Amino acid sequence: MNPIQVGVLMGSSSDWDTMQHAVQILQDFGIAHEARVVSAHRMPDDMFTYAEAAADRGLKAIIAGAGGAAHLPGMLAAKTVVPVLGVPVASKHLSGVDSLHSIVQMPKGIPVATFAIGAAGAANAALFAVALLASHDPALRQKLNDFRAQQTAAARAMTLPA
């Protein structure tokens, strides 16, 4: 079995509706991954242990989704050198804008790549992780090129009503 290359973390199980889109992309590309709930607020020791061990475990990227206060991506990034890709999860009160602002405003020295709110952001974070891995894997790079060519062909095939 391939070693896990990407961790997909979320602050609670309710984030799965969004984060499953990242997992689906990783599955489609055959990327070994794991998906876990690791709350920055309810499980800080587990979160720190995960982040501190990520590089030694061979992780190449962590996709972290969080809603509301959205501390998970930044706290992970503070404790690991593995790239953290932040996905704001829509909250019922502020539609994810609070999450977006929290993730995108990391202090200097705590980099978190930040993606769109919701499912599109989760999918794009996974595609970004695929691109990171593809930079060292010609077969994966070809799969990514094929995926993009399929997207282009689908867009060209769209017709507008007359």
Side-chain angles (χ1 to χ4, degrees):
M1 186 160 145
N2 292 338
I4 294 169
Q5 295 183 293
V6 178
V8 179
L9 301 183
M10 58 211 86
S12 71
S13 60
S14 64
D15 297 341
W16 177 247
D17 286 344
T18 296
M19 299 309 291
Q20 68 181 326
H21 298 279
V23 169
Q24 185 61 57
I25 294 285
L26 296 171
Q27 289 173 342
D28 291 349
F29 278 91
I31 304 296
H33 62 280
E34 61 190 6
R36 295 186 184 179
V37 171
V38 181
S39 172
H41 298 105
R42 295 178 188 94
M43 307 161 61
D45 294 335
D46 293 358
M47 180 199 58
F48 286 141
T49 298
Y50 187 94
E52 290 167 344
D56 289 341
R57 290 182 52 227
L59 291 182
K60 306 297 184 221
I62 299 171
I63 301 170
H71 289 93
L72 184 60
M75 295 300 290
L76 289 165
K79 297 296 278 181
T80 187
V81 296
V82 173
V84 175
L85 316 177
V87 178
V89 174
S91 57
K92 68 180 180 179
H93 298 293
L94 297 172
S95 303
V97 174
D98 51 340
S99 307
L100 175 66
H101 288 174
S102 181
I103 296 170
V104 79
Q105 295 184 45
M106 290 296 108
K108 182 178 179 181
I110 310 296
V112 176
T114 309
F115 294 86
I117 298 167
N124 283 338
L127 287 167
F128 192 89
V130 170
L132 287 172
L133 296 169
S135 68
H136 301 289
D137 182 338
L140 186 56
R141 185 168 40 252
Q142 186 57 53
K143 278 183 163 180
L144 186 56
N145 284 331
D146 292 346
F147 172 83
R148 290 185 176 162
Q150 290 169 1
Q151 283 187 310
T152 300
R156 286 185 177 137
M158 289 183 200
T159 58
L160 298 174

